[in-house]
Amino acid sequence: MAFSKWPFLKKIKTNHEKNNQITIIPEHVAIIMDGNGRWARQQGLPRIAGHKQGMDNVKRIVEVANAYQIKILTLYAFSTENWKRPEKEVNYLMKLPHDFLKVYLPDLIKENVKVEMIGHFEQLPSHTKKSIQHAIDQTKNNTGLILNIAMNYGGRSELVEVAKSIAGDVQNNKVKIDQIDEKLINDRLFTGHLPDPDLLIRTSGEIRLSNFLLWQLAYTEFWFTDTYWPSFSRHEFEEALQAYQQRKRRFGGL
Ligand code: IPE
Ligand code: IPE
Ligand code: MG
């Protein structure tokens, strides 16, 4: 009796192992890094301690993305709505690019990571702009993972800017109305040069987009976890990648 069960058990194990292998890698992963404040509260720490821990986790997750040869990692770091937070917290968040790059830019350069940014750059404080611009310049010839930081980013304001830019071109007779199509709009987004995300991850248990990549996520696969961003680990990232490769993407077809 026991013997006849063996092949069955073995088969399950093999399938399980096969499922654990990550072979279908998303080209572009976007992450809403949420839950820093709640993580800190849980530890009895001030919210900014959560942001600091979240910053260090960015480096860990970049390493995983690099290891799996993901091509683009877009991270939501600060939304156009996050200006509503207390001034002290906003100031800290605006200092984070500097703190992050001071520690990690040499590693990013070594790891062939290319730093890019999406969002309204001009409205950032000058010290924030300076740090980000420096990282972009220092890594512009790198050919590995694109680390795309969404800073002062909002999906709706992005679309408003696209509308204004196209309207201006129509007014100046550079674009005819019937030339406006999905490609023309797409090319004018902050992400115009990038493919749409294949996989969106949001941490912290919130099941919403919070104004992230509204156009670009039209056919993205979503994956949510209750884990707060500072605790989001390599293991959990791999779980998301495993879930992704089980999805059947149809894009409206059959
Ligand atoms: C995400 O963590 C980081 C930013 C939005 C800048 P939060 O600061 O939103 O943390 P929670 O959601 O309050 O826990
Ligand atoms: C989304 O998180 C923005 C970032 C992670 C940068 P929020 O914490 O701002 O989102 P809401 O307010 O819970 O929707
Ligand atoms: Mg939040």
Side-chain angles (χ1 to χ4, degrees), residues 33-39 47 51 77-78 82 85 89 93:
M33 309 183 287
D34 198 14
N36 293 349
R38 280 164 286 167
W39 178 89
R47 288 180 59 84
H51 295 313
F78 191 92
N82 288 146
R85 295 187 179 199
E89 182 167 343
L93 290 168

Side-chain angles (χ1 to χ4, degrees), residues 15-26 68 198-199 221 223 237-249:
N15 276 341
H16 177 68
E17 278 170 354
K18 213 156 83 192
N19 288 345
N20 274 347
Q21 273 171 19
I22 301 164
T23 51
I24 302 167
I25 306 292
Y68 279 99
D198 299 295
L199 172 64
E221 298 297 325
W223 194 85
F237 195 0
E238 287 172 342
E239 261 179 48
L241 295 174
Q242 267 157 18
Y244 172 79
Q245 69 179 356
Q246 310 293 331
R247 304 280 176 91
K248 302 268 175 296
R249 302 185 77 187

Side-chain angles (χ1 to χ4, degrees), residues 194-254:
L194 299 172
D196 290 339
D198 299 295
L199 172 64
L200 171 81
I201 296 171
R202 182 169 188 153
T203 60
S204 91
E206 310 299 351
I207 315 290
R208 56 175 171 261
L209 290 181
S210 302
N211 205 10
F212 194 38
L213 301 173
L214 298 180
W215 171 282
Q216 297 89 333
L217 296 175
Y219 267 105
T220 301
E221 298 297 325
F222 289 7
W223 194 85
F224 296 96
T225 173
D226 287 342
T227 304
Y228 297 141
W229 171 252
S231 307
F232 184 73
S233 63
R234 177 191 187 109
H235 176 73
E236 228 182 328
F237 195 0
E238 287 172 342
E239 261 179 48
L241 295 174
Q242 267 157 18
Y244 172 79
Q245 69 179 356
Q246 310 293 331
R247 304 280 176 91
K248 302 268 175 296
R249 302 185 77 187
R250 283 184 286 273
F251 300 96
L254 291 179

Side-chain angles (χ1 to χ4, degrees), residues 63-97:
E63 280 167 18
V64 183
N66 230 343
Y68 279 99
Q69 296 182 322
I70 289 165
K71 296 218 171 69
I72 306 144
L73 182 66
T74 296
L75 300 178
Y76 206 7
F78 191 92
S79 77
T80 46
E81 286 69 40
N82 288 146
W83 297 106
K84 293 179 202 159
R85 295 187 179 199
E87 199 184 331
K88 239 181 95 185
E89 182 167 343
V90 169
N91 288 345
Y92 188 81
L93 290 168
M94 288 300 146
K95 220 169 61 68
L96 271 186

